[in-house]
Amino acid sequence: MNEQRWFHRRGELRRDGWESVVDATTPGWQHTGIRIAEIIDGDHLALEGAALERIVVPLVGSFTVTHRHHLGEEETQLQGRPSVFAGPTDVLYLPAGTTAEIRGRGRVAVAEAPTTERRPWRYIAAAETPVELRGRGASSRQVHNFGTPQALDAARLIVCEVITPAENWSSYPPHKHDEHVPGHESRLEEIYYFESAPARTAAASADEGAAFGMFSTYASPAGEIDTNAMVRTGDIALVPYGYHGPAVAAPGYDLYYLNVMAGPDPERAWLISDDPAHAWVRDSWDGQELDPRLPFTNDSRKAGADD
């Protein structure tokens, strides 16, 4: 029952033309939201002008977003990308009270957080996205920090995406952010949206639909949680509290996830506490090399497909 509450397979949260929706109507959920949809030419999806700030993230494909807010009406083209494993994408931040329509072709995510505070809308080009190569050795991964406090002036939202090469571990060491300890830890709900695909060096016979990774959560003093799941494209894990990680890319398959975070603290900050039993692992990275498969870019994905 615990896993059924906090982990959802692709399509289980289908609603109103969206493949998946997490929002304030989701039991036990209040600070974050996400919407995932497949759009084909000629279709559009509407975003109501609610007390929500949002970031529109092309997963696969390109989109046009018409958005109306307190500054007027704008139309923004999102060039997008051919795959979530093709490096960063351009994204669009929409302030609270914005209505919008999304048109195009492909798969799109909309990250959300309830707020009445208004910030300026902003287009962030892929070339502007801070790309962080985090960890070392088998814990090497690539992080796109387009929606973090250092990159975006948002009211509540903290959003990033992570690419983990096949056989590597990310969201590791296991960590938590469910207590307000100024300067040390912040309270943040977190959503993980996953995709997986055969690695760039996978055999031509590799089945994309079979691609998978693993993801775990476990209890902290803030609450009981226990998720141990095979994750595939379209799956969503909710982390209301507790230690979370690792997210592991299975041999032969790369793993992607989009993280959406927000919480009740007065400061918008991502501050974490490692599980003390595993915190020593960070020091073990000293002297190890970064995984040479990083960074993932559009060019590197094409090169891998041709090898």
Side-chain angles (χ1 to χ4, degrees), residues 25-293:
T25 67
T26 303
W29 213 246
Q30 56 181 321
H31 299 294
T32 59
I34 195 169
R35 294 170 180 267
I36 306 294
E38 295 268 3
I39 302 178
I40 61 174
D41 290 335
D43 286 352
H44 75 276
L45 285 169
L47 298 172
E48 300 296 331
L52 296 167
E53 61 180 351
R54 300 177 169 110
I55 301 179
V56 181
V57 183
L59 298 168
V60 179
S62 303
F63 304 92
T64 300
V65 184
T66 303
H67 43 110
R68 307 171 188 87
H69 34 66
H70 61 290
L71 297 176
E73 180 175 315
E74 303 282 349
E75 186 172 276
T76 301
Q77 304 291 326
L78 296 177
Q79 181 177 346
R81 55 193 167 185
S83 162
V84 294
F85 299 102
T89 180
D90 51 349
V91 303
L92 177 64
Y93 171 77
L94 300 175
T98 302
T99 61
E101 292 181 350
I102 304 173
R103 291 181 168 82
R105 184 179 183 86
R107 188 163 59 253
V108 65
V110 181
E112 301 179 337
T115 183
T116 57
E117 298 179 42
R118 286 182 173 176
R119 299 290 194 274
W121 74 272
R122 184 178 169 195
Y123 169 78
I124 302 174
E128 294 180 74
T129 296
V131 176
E132 176 186 2
L133 302 181
R134 187 180 297 171
R136 288 293 184 272
S139 294
S140 301
R141 61 270 207 185
Q142 177 171 327
V143 186
H144 303 153
N145 288 311
F146 55 80
T148 60
Q150 295 75 24
L152 175 67
D153 178 23
R156 312 300 301 171
L157 267 177
I158 299 174
V159 184
C160 66
E161 55 185 10
V162 180
I163 300 173
T164 308
E167 301 184 40
N168 284 11
W169 292 41
S170 58
S171 279
Y172 193 75
H175 57 278
K176 70 182 184 74
H177 36 71
D178 55 21
E179 292 183 86
H180 179 48
V181 183
H184 177 68
E185 185 176 341
S186 49
R187 290 177 295 177
L188 297 167
E189 282 183 346
E190 186 164 16
I191 299 170
Y192 280 71
Y193 165 79
F194 295 97
E195 297 207 5
S196 186
R200 288 172 290 182
T201 56
S205 60
D207 180 359
E208 185 165 350
F212 75 99
M214 303 293 295
F215 179 70
S216 294
T217 67
Y218 55 96
S220 74
E224 293 291 329
I225 187 169
D226 184 15
T227 304
N228 290 285
M230 294 179 68
V231 296
R232 297 181 172 87
T233 294
D235 293 345
I236 291 176
L238 304 179
V239 185
Y241 41 70
Y243 289 104
H244 42 289
V248 183
Y253 304 108
D254 296 327
L255 183 67
Y256 162 97
Y257 49 88
L258 177 67
N259 284 144
V260 182
M261 293 175 278
D265 291 351
E267 182 183 7
R268 175 177 169 249
W270 182 68
L271 299 173
I272 67 170
S273 295
D274 288 338
D275 183 339
H278 306 294
W280 65 270
V281 172
R282 289 190 190 275
D283 293 335
S284 73
W285 299 340
D286 293 344
Q288 296 188 46
E289 298 294 327
L290 183 73
D291 191 313
R293 293 173 292 179

